[in-house]
């Protein structure tokens, strides 16, 4: 099976997507056509016979291609850059005939950092035995869609979570809510997980 190439990057960084072909030192870009495409339909950058023939306006002034190893450089990375790319290389043997040297997918995973979770608690009801509290945890501005988890005195709790995002390629805001009966001073922790990263905040709930 073809090993899927995956590249990870954070918003604002410079990232290089590797191509499946390197032009030998005996040749130059003039013998080739190179297409970098996204989602197979969108041409990000294309070269033919050494000249740039196409570029996508969303990548204007943010992309360049290495003329030897054909790496596509994107800087600064934005959330909508997330997704599958393909490098298609054609060799121009004779004036009319070209053959495909390679076309291989590479996936870019873009991560945007979430804010440190903000945890608040308000008392909704109070009796001798227990205090009823509404605990909220929120974090914003990150990507991709996060998981929200938590613990109460080291036992896991399930947040009633909601996510807000303008589109599947926009930053996410996440909010979790818990209703708790607190009978003693307790420690609540909220954790936001995304793309293998995690951020946590703890709060002491005083009875």
């Amino acid at each position: 099976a073809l090993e899927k190439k995956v590249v990870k990057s954070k918003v604002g960084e410079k990232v290089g997507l590797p191509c499946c072909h390197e032009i030998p030192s005996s040749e130059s870009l003039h013998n080739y056509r190179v297409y970098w495409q996204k989602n197979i339909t969108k041409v990000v950058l294309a070269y033919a016979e050494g000249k740039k023939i196409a570029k996508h306006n969303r990548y204007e002034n943010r992309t360049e291609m290495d003329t030897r190893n054909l790496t596509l450089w994107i800087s600064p990375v934005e959330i909508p850059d997330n997704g599958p790319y393909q490098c298609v290389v054609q060799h121009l043997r004779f004036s009319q005939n070209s053959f495909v040297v390679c076309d291989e997918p590479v996936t870019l995973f873009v991560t945007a950092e979430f804010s440190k979770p903000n945890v608040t608690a308000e008392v909704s009801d109070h009796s001798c035995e227990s205090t009823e509290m509404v605990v909220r945890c929120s974090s914003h501005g990150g990507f991709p869609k996060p998981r929200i988890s938590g613990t109460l005195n080291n036992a896991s709790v399930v947040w009633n979570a909601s996510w807000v995002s303008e589109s599947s390629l926009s930053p996410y805001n996440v909010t979790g809510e818990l209703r708790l009966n607190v009978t003693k001073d307790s420690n609540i922790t909220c954790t936001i997980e995304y793309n293998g990263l995690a951020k946590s905040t703890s709060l002491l709930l005083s009875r």
Side-chain angles (χ1 to χ4, degrees):
L2 240 177
E3 201 181 312
K4 276 234 162 65
K5 283 204 180 81
V6 169
V7 176
K8 290 186 173 185
S9 178
K10 286 186 173 156
V11 167
E13 290 182 347
K14 181 174 186 174
V15 70
L17 301 181
C19 183
C20 43
H21 186 70
E22 189 161 332
I23 295 176
S25 52
S26 57
E27 291 189 293
S28 80
L29 196 54
H30 291 273
N31 308 97
Y32 290 87
R33 261 194 224 123
V34 183
Y35 297 93
W36 266 104
Q37 339 187 107
K38 179 165 191 240
N39 297 334
I40 306 184
T41 52
K42 217 189 270 179
V43 174
V44 177
L45 207 54
Y47 279 82
E49 298 167 15
K51 288 192 287 290
K52 196 187 279 192
I53 52 167
K55 61 183 189 306
H56 195 277
N57 57 7
R58 226 194 65 61
Y59 292 89
E60 188 84 60
N61 301 328
R62 291 197 304 122
T63 50
E64 54 188 346
M65 188 184 79
D66 187 295
T67 54
R68 270 283 154 230
N69 64 17
L70 312 180
T71 297
L72 176 70
W73 290 97
I74 304 175
S75 173
V77 169
E78 297 172 357
I79 289 176
D81 298 338
N82 190 71
Y85 290 76
Q86 202 161 19
C87 182
V88 181
V89 183
Q90 297 173 340
H91 193 281
L92 308 171
R93 268 282 163 84
F94 312 105
S95 54
Q96 297 309 312
N97 300 340
S98 68
F99 71 95
V100 175
V101 183
C102 70
D103 69 20
E104 239 175 68
V106 51
T107 301
L108 176 60
F109 274 126
V110 177
T111 304
E113 219 170 301
F114 277 88
S115 63
K116 190 170 165 61
N118 180 32
V119 183
T120 58
E122 56 186 56
V123 174
S124 57
D125 196 19
H126 194 79
S127 69
C128 300
E129 294 81 46
S130 71
T131 304
E132 194 175 288
M133 289 186 178
V134 178
V135 181
R136 286 189 185 86
C137 172
S138 61
S139 175
H140 59 268
F143 187 85
K145 186 176 177 176
R147 244 186 94 232
I148 178 168
S149 59
T151 57
L152 179 65
N153 297 335
N154 298 327
S156 64
V157 291
V158 178
W159 295 92
N160 181 6
S162 56
W163 293 266
V164 180
S165 179
E166 281 171 31
S167 75
S168 62
L169 289 175
S170 297
Y172 282 88
N173 296 344
V174 60
T175 306
E177 196 172 285
L178 277 180
R179 288 186 174 275
L180 297 174
N181 268 330
V182 181
T183 53
K184 60 180 194 296
D185 285 3
S186 302
N187 194 30
I188 182 107
T189 298
C190 173
T191 303
I192 306 290
E193 296 168 68
Y194 56 107
N195 228 357
L197 302 166
K199 288 196 161 182
S200 295
T201 300
S202 297
L203 181 71
L204 184 66
L205 305 175
S206 299
R207 163 82 176 90

